[in-house]
Structures are given as C-alpha cells and as structure tokens.
Amino acid sequence: MKTKIAKDLLKIQAVFLRPDEPFTWASGIKSPIYCDNRLTLSDHQVRLDVETGLAALVKEHYPEAEALMGTSTAGIAHAAITAHLLELPMGYVRSGAKDHGRKNQIEGKLTPGEKVVVVEDLISTGGSVLEVVDVLRQAGAEVLGIVSIFTYGMKKSVDRLAQAQVKNVSLTDLDTVATVAAQEGYIRPEDQARLIAFRNDPSDESWIGKKG
C-alpha cells in the first residue's frame, strides 16, 4: 500500500519533489518536497485509493473505533469519506473555538468515553495534530490514535507523538516516496539520499549543495 499511494501522490503532484530548487516553509526551513494532499480529492481513482486505504488502516489498527474526527481543514473530507466507508459517525475539530453560537471547537456529536480515531492528511512536526488530540481528550474522548495519508517521519514528530502516547499510522511516508521517485525518474537516483538527509535534520541545509 505504501508504494501504491506514493505512486498516486507523485502522479498527481500532491507530492512534488524539487531538490535543486527548494521550497521555503513558513518557518523559513528550506525543503526539497512540497506536499498538498488536498489534490487527492480532485482525482477519483487516487481519492478512492486513499479513502479505502485509510479505512483499511482503521480496521487493522483501531478495530474498536467508534467515531472518526478530522483535523481542520485538510482532514475533514478524508474523515467524512472514510467514516462513510466504515459506517461510523464523523466529526471534526476546529483550529480554535467559534466566537459565536455555541462556540464549539468540536463539530459533530462526541460522547465522553467514545473511542475515536483522528484523521489527518499530513504529519510534519506533529504539533497541529497533537493539539487536536488534546482538545478531544479534554472533551472526554478516548483517542485510540491517528491515521494519516503521508508522514515525513521526522524525529521531532516521532518524539512528540511518543511523549503524548499517541500512535500514528500513515498510508505512505517520505522514505517510500523518495524510493519510488528515484525508480520512476521523478528525481535522479543520487537525490534520494538528499531527501533522506533533509528528513533526518531539516535544520541542516547541507543537502542543498549535494547535487549530482
């Protein structure tokens, strides 16, 4: 599945690799990879692969799940479609509480003690998804873990998730994408190591100069 989803993401340029002309993140970090998993929603076959894949991950790793909760905003559609496939309730968590009406931060019904799985599209440092987990826990949910489309596998996110005692299972990851990209000619074979070097330490930009 990891290879299949990696091929899908590369094909529709939801994952775009440009090691010789790095992208700049909001944090200022230079990155050889740009990821926009919202594009998976615009391709029927890729969308089907992603949502059936997420449903399979929930069944395999969180069989006792009682509801899915999407992250705002990128995880909402994926949570809705996956929940439909699994015949489960679905809701989502806002980035902040509304300033009007009932001032909800959690949209959809959530019963204290309910076993929920968080659906996220992308995990980089892990900060935003852990905020969602915290909101759900404060509301009384039992968060079983996270399913996501793609993870960079950065040490910072791995450590953060471990510290918060939260499990994440992703459809694919940077290592798989880098391997497939090199095999299928999206990047040069020697650029694969540059992508992994970035993953290992995003603050170390020495990979930028290591052109083939």
Side-chain angles (χ1 to χ4, degrees), residues 16-61:
F16 193 81
L17 303 175
R18 206 170 67 187
D20 288 339
E21 301 176 64
F23 301 95
T24 302
W25 288 359
S27 61
I29 288 176
K30 296 289 191 300
S31 170
I33 180 171
Y34 177 77
C35 189
D36 181 4
N37 288 324
R38 291 173 179 84
L39 291 173
T40 61
L41 298 170
S42 300
D43 185 293
H44 171 260
Q45 186 57 54
V46 174
R47 186 176 70 234
L48 184 62
D49 291 346
V50 166
E51 311 311 343
T52 55
L54 289 172
L57 291 184
V58 173
K59 284 182 179 179
E60 178 182 354
H61 296 276

Side-chain angles (χ1 to χ4, degrees), residues 6 8 16 27 29 40 59 68 96 107 118 121 142 155 200:
D8 280 349
F16 193 81
S27 61
I29 288 176
T40 61
K59 284 182 179 179
L68 302 186
E107 299 290 1
V118 175
D121 76 321
E142 181 183 341
K155 184 178 185 301
N200 290 341

Side-chain angles (χ1 to χ4, degrees), residues 146 150 194 199:
I146 304 162
F150 178 85
R194 298 169 70 193
R199 192 280 314 279

Side-chain angles (χ1 to χ4, degrees), residues 137-150:
R137 283 175 169 172
Q138 288 183 35
E142 181 183 341
V143 179
L144 301 178
I146 304 162
V147 291
S148 53
I149 299 172
F150 178 85

Side-chain angles (χ1 to χ4, degrees), residues 3 13 21 32-33 47 80 84 107 125 142 168 201 205-206:
T3 298
Q13 295 189 342
E21 301 176 64
I33 180 171
R47 186 176 70 234
H84 179 74
E107 299 290 1
T125 63
E142 181 183 341
N168 169 64
D201 187 359
E205 297 182 355
S206 61

Side-chain angles (χ1 to χ4, degrees), residues 4-202:
K4 179 181 182 181
I5 298 299
K7 289 182 177 181
D8 280 349
L9 298 181
L10 287 163
K11 180 182 71 174
I12 65 171
Q13 295 189 342
V15 169
F16 193 81
L17 303 175
R18 206 170 67 187
D20 288 339
E21 301 176 64
F23 301 95
T24 302
W25 288 359
S27 61
I29 288 176
K30 296 289 191 300
S31 170
I33 180 171
Y34 177 77
C35 189
D36 181 4
N37 288 324
R38 291 173 179 84
L39 291 173
T40 61
L41 298 170
S42 300
D43 185 293
H44 171 260
Q45 186 57 54
V46 174
R47 186 176 70 234
L48 184 62
D49 291 346
V50 166
E51 311 311 343
T52 55
L54 289 172
L57 291 184
V58 173
K59 284 182 179 179
E60 178 182 354
H61 296 276
Y62 313 108
E64 66 272 41
E66 297 172 326
L68 302 186
M69 283 286 168
T71 58
S72 180
T73 57
I76 296 174
H78 299 296
I81 300 170
T82 304
H84 179 74
L85 294 175
L86 294 170
E87 300 182 354
L88 288 175
M90 171 268 176
Y92 67 92
V93 180
R94 293 176 173 273
S95 55
K98 290 195 295 187
D99 59 2
H100 59 281
R102 298 175 62 191
K103 300 184 178 180
N104 294 340
Q105 185 165 6
I106 299 173
E107 299 290 1
K109 185 178 179 181
L110 178 67
T111 305
E114 196 166 19
K115 296 179 173 65
V116 306
V117 174
V118 175
V119 180
E120 175 66 293
D121 76 321
L122 167 70
I123 293 183
S124 52
T125 63
S128 58
V129 74
L130 286 175
E131 289 177 8
V132 169
V133 169
D134 188 51
V135 169
L136 290 167
R137 283 175 169 172
Q138 288 183 35
E142 181 183 341
V143 179
L144 301 178
I146 304 162
V147 291
S148 53
I149 299 172
F150 178 85
T151 181
Y152 287 96
M154 294 176 180
K155 184 178 185 301
K156 188 172 185 178
S157 67
V158 172
D159 291 347
R160 276 179 163 177
L161 291 166
Q163 187 175 10
Q165 296 183 311
V166 181
K167 175 182 177 179
N168 169 64
V169 187
S170 295
L171 288 176
T172 194
D173 51 42
L174 186 145
D175 292 62
T176 305
V177 166
T179 299
V180 171
Q183 290 172 345
E184 301 204 349
Y186 289 94
I187 57 174
R188 296 164 300 191
E190 57 268 28
D191 286 334
Q192 185 176 348
R194 298 169 70 193
L195 291 169
I196 301 304
F198 162 77
R199 192 280 314 279
N200 290 341
D201 187 359

